[in-house]
Amino acid sequence: MIGRLVGVLAEKHPPYLLVDVNGVGYEVQAPMTSIYQLPAIGEKVTLYTHFSVSENAQQLFAFKDTVDRQLFRHLIKVSGVGPKMALAILSGIETPAFVSAIRSGASEILVKVPGVGKKTAERLVVEMQDRLKDWPHAGGDSVVPPVQAAGPVARQSDMVAEAEAALIALGYKPVEAAKAISRVCQQEQPERSEELIRLALKSMLPG
């Protein structure tokens, strides 16, 4: 079991990352809330991982800390929530906000998370309240994760393509991803693909 990776961030194509650990490249998938906080390509990074094995795939998921990893492990135990949906949930809402919504039974907050419908939100509240009863980390109700200061400006076409690929990997249909990205580009001037993804996710929230 691989529980932690310490190495150099070699590639970043959200939600996929490549981490070079002593010459061995580990491909992992990470939620956007973790990716927003990663250092630049070529810098040292520490990620906490979860190894998932199914009939069709072996996947390694990575998180910025053990708190997010533990929540991911709770999520995939919920009926109807697999690793892909759990990754999408953690990409759309910060861990403290999610825990707060579960504890208060606020399914209406969870419905705002991309990919979570009313029935799924209600099931999450029912099945996770006991598991998170003694959870030590709780906070506000922000659904939009923070973004780091922007780095060098990427080429627009590359940034758009990377953002669309990330949304599709999170479970959105290509048409939905393209429309969301286009809508953001008409209203904002994001300088990094991570920021464009964050704004696109926000634009798909109701109200």
Side-chain angles (χ1 to χ4, degrees):
M1 173 90 55
I2 300 172
R4 187 181 69 169
L5 294 176
V6 179
V8 175
L9 184 60
E11 295 181 13
K12 182 165 53 175
H13 303 289
Y16 293 93
L17 306 171
L18 186 67
V19 182
D20 186 329
V21 181
N22 297 323
V24 178
Y26 289 87
E27 185 180 68
V28 302
Q29 297 182 59
M32 293 308 303
T33 43
S34 287
I35 291 177
Y36 296 140
Q37 301 182 51
L38 291 178
I41 298 294
E43 294 188 10
K44 184 176 180 180
V45 67
T46 298
L47 295 169
Y48 296 89
T49 58
H50 173 85
F51 185 52
S52 175
V53 180
S54 65
E55 292 183 6
N56 302 318
Q58 296 185 20
Q59 299 171 298
L60 193 60
F61 296 91
F63 309 89
K64 67 181 182 346
D65 54 39
T66 56
V67 174
D68 281 5
R69 181 179 64 180
Q70 186 59 37
L71 180 56
F72 177 86
R73 288 174 172 173
H74 282 313
L75 281 168
I76 59 177
K77 294 177 182 177
V78 174
S79 175
V81 178
K84 189 172 184 178
M85 179 176 284
L87 197 71
I89 291 172
L90 288 176
S91 290
I93 184 170
E94 292 179 327
T95 294
F98 179 86
V99 174
S100 178
I102 293 295
R103 283 177 166 176
S104 62
S107 60
E108 67 276 8
I109 291 178
L110 302 179
V111 171
K112 295 179 182 179
V113 178
V116 177
K118 183 178 179 180
K119 290 184 178 179
T120 300
E122 291 173 349
R123 186 164 62 246
L124 284 167
V125 169
V126 170
E127 294 193 29
M128 294 199 69
Q129 278 194 336
D130 284 343
R131 296 173 188 169
L132 300 181
K133 183 171 56 177
D134 298 322
W135 188 269
H137 310 277
D141 59 358
S142 173
V143 174
V144 182
V147 64
Q148 289 180 304
V153 178
R155 289 195 312 165
Q156 182 77 8
S157 58
D158 290 344
M159 184 171 63
V160 168
E162 186 172 323
E164 288 186 1
L167 292 179
I168 292 170
L170 288 171
Y172 290 96
K173 295 179 181 179
V175 173
E176 293 175 330
K179 285 183 177 179
I181 296 297
S182 176
R183 184 164 55 245
V184 169
C185 289
Q186 290 174 7
Q187 300 174 354
E188 307 280 351
Q189 293 183 329
E191 296 183 335
R192 298 195 313 166
S193 59
E194 290 94 335
E195 185 179 1
L196 179 54
I197 294 165
R198 178 183 69 84
L199 292 170
L201 286 169
K202 181 181 178 181
S203 76
M204 289 186 279
L205 294 176

